[in-house]
Amino acid sequence: MEDNKPWALISEVGEQGYIEEVTDIMKKHFQIICHKDFLQNPQLHGPKIQAMFVWNAFPEAEPALLGSLPSLKVVANGGVGIDHLDVPYINSLGVKVTNTPDVVTDATADMALGLLLASARKIVEGHQIAVNPKTTHIPQSLMGVEVAGSTMGIIGMGRIGCKIAQRGKGFDMKILYHNRNRRSVEDEQALGASYCENMDDLLKESDFVVLAVNLTPETTGLISHRELSLMKRTATLVNVSRGLVVDQDALVKALHSGTIHAAALDVTHPEPLPRDHPLLSLPNVLITPHVGTNTYTTTRKMVQKMVENAVAAVKGQPVPNEVKPN
């Protein structure tokens, strides 16, 4: 029976790839081969592979690799963002591209609120003081920012943005949003969100600016010197989208000079940042290593969705989450 399963190329199982707990989902429908093992004999393995599962942008879907996979039918990406994939080029090879919307929404929204709260209430600094063997008293300087009653401005009101708004509403925050297209009146009422047609207005009024956009040519460098200068000096920037949405040099300058109060980032560019990057040494920055979807539940859902998409593509059936070029 094993021999009848189509072959799929994956990055690896382990520290930099898939957790062991999700490989059963892939093995149910595919014979999987890790990229490292594939490279031992591409001529032997290449013609057999019909699906490629891309996780954390690996294996890289570059022309040399794709050219060695003549039977490839689908590149199934884990996650929503496909900025690391050249969709028109991959499609030109007769290969479909898929992603995993919906299943990442809650975990990413949780991360946005977690970063916002941790930054506002200095949770990491508090932990460090609490466990420091030299601590003899709790410094009064460990004062945070009130979240309840504050204004959260969400840039990018797609699935994730709406879930962030939902959570913000639960914290009694005033919700503003900016999006290419205004949401329906029903959506706005359900979320308690007010639309800002001009992003500048949102930046000026928000205590917390949360970025939840896809990375596109239009959103690359969306937040730079000018945008940061419009924010309140007491404001915090939260980014759960992509590192390139923010001009990091401008952000360093704004944080260093007090133009804005703080930043909480789950994404940077590159990832990880070089160890001597100035963002890493600023006291008003909280950084996590792009772990917005890293829960066991969401990871299993993502892999399940990747497999469903790949199985449909290999069988020539309608693909649930095919990504079309813009």
Side-chain angles (χ1 to χ4, degrees), residues 9 20 28 74 99 120 130 140 150 155 163 169 173 233 254 256 265 268-269 271 280 292 318:
L9 177 65
E20 189 69 50
K28 188 175 177 183
V74 60
N99 65 351
Q140 289 300 306
S150 65
I155 299 176
K163 289 287 188 175
K169 187 182 178 188
M173 301 177 85
R233 293 183 75 82
H256 198 265
L265 316 168
T268 59
H269 182 76
E271 293 170 350
L280 301 181

Side-chain angles (χ1 to χ4, degrees), residues 112-123 144-152 167-175 207-208 236:
L113 262 290
L115 284 167
L116 187 154
L117 289 165
S119 176
R121 298 307 305 271
K122 300 194 174 180
I123 289 172
V145 176
E146 193 87 8
V147 173
S150 65
T151 298
M152 176 163 64
R167 285 154 175 73
K169 187 182 178 188
F171 280 89
D172 294 327
M173 301 177 85
K174 178 184 175 184
I175 311 295
D207 298 301
F208 299 92
T236 296

Side-chain angles (χ1 to χ4, degrees), residues 13-271:
V13 177
E15 192 59 34
Q16 295 183 43
Y18 299 87
I19 54 172
E20 189 69 50
E21 291 89 337
V22 300
T23 55
D24 60 305
I25 302 171
M26 294 186 280
K27 288 176 179 175
K28 188 175 177 183
H29 296 279
F30 290 92
Q31 294 203 64
I32 59 175
I33 182 168
C34 294
H35 188 233
K36 182 178 65 178
D37 297 330
F38 166 82
L39 290 176
Q40 299 298 315
N41 196 337
Q43 289 76 22
L44 173 66
H45 301 303
K48 297 186 289 192
I49 290 167
Q50 295 187 58
M52 183 162 98
F53 293 128
V54 176
W55 191 258
N56 293 335
F58 290 101
E60 289 186 52
E62 37 87 26
L65 176 59
L66 295 171
S68 67
L69 307 174
S71 305
L72 189 67
K73 292 188 170 69
V74 60
V75 173
N77 185 64
V80 178
I82 42 92
D83 45 277
H84 53 289
L85 298 173
D86 185 342
V87 178
Y89 174 73
I90 296 170
N91 287 169
S92 77
L93 303 173
V95 177
K96 295 183 186 299
V97 175
T98 67
N99 65 351
T100 61
D102 301 319
V103 294
V104 303
T105 306
D106 280 314
T108 308
D110 287 349
M111 193 70 193
L113 262 290
L115 284 167
L116 187 154
L117 289 165
S119 176
R121 298 307 305 271
K122 300 194 174 180
I123 289 172
V124 175
E125 296 95 319
H127 168 77
Q128 289 167 342
I129 289 168
V131 301
N132 189 330
K134 295 179 180 176
T135 295
T136 57
H137 69 283
I138 308 302
Q140 289 300 306
S141 60
L142 199 66
M143 298 292 284
V145 176
E146 193 87 8
V147 173
S150 65
T151 298
M152 176 163 64
I154 302 168
I155 299 176
M157 200 64 151
R159 296 180 183 90
I160 292 169
C162 286
K163 289 287 188 175
I164 294 169
Q166 239 177 33
R167 285 154 175 73
K169 187 182 178 188
F171 280 89
D172 294 327
M173 301 177 85
K174 178 184 175 184
I175 311 295
L176 306 177
Y177 78 96
H178 173 73
N179 200 49
R180 277 180 308 180
N181 304 305
R182 185 170 183 172
R183 305 289 307 199
S184 67
V185 174
E186 293 75 22
D187 283 349
E188 290 183 351
Q189 289 175 344
L191 297 167
S194 301
Y195 181 59
C196 292
E197 187 172 355
N198 188 335
M199 188 175 78
D200 290 0
D201 295 334
L202 178 148
L203 294 169
K204 290 172 187 172
E205 294 180 41
S206 300
D207 298 301
F208 299 92
V209 173
V210 184
L211 304 176
V213 295
N214 290 326
L215 181 64
T216 65
E218 291 74 37
T219 61
T220 300
L222 182 69
I223 303 297
S224 192
H225 295 280
R226 190 189 76 84
E227 290 73 27
L228 291 163
S229 71
L230 293 174
M231 290 171 62
K232 296 179 180 181
R233 293 183 75 82
T234 54
T236 296
L237 180 70
V238 180
N239 190 6
V240 291
S241 58
R242 284 291 188 269
L244 283 170
V245 172
V246 177
D247 175 345
Q248 286 178 170
D249 293 338
L251 180 61
V252 168
K253 189 174 178 184
L255 289 163
H256 198 265
S257 65
T259 301
I260 67 170
H261 175 66
L265 316 168
D266 186 45
V267 288
T268 59
H269 182 76
E271 293 170 350

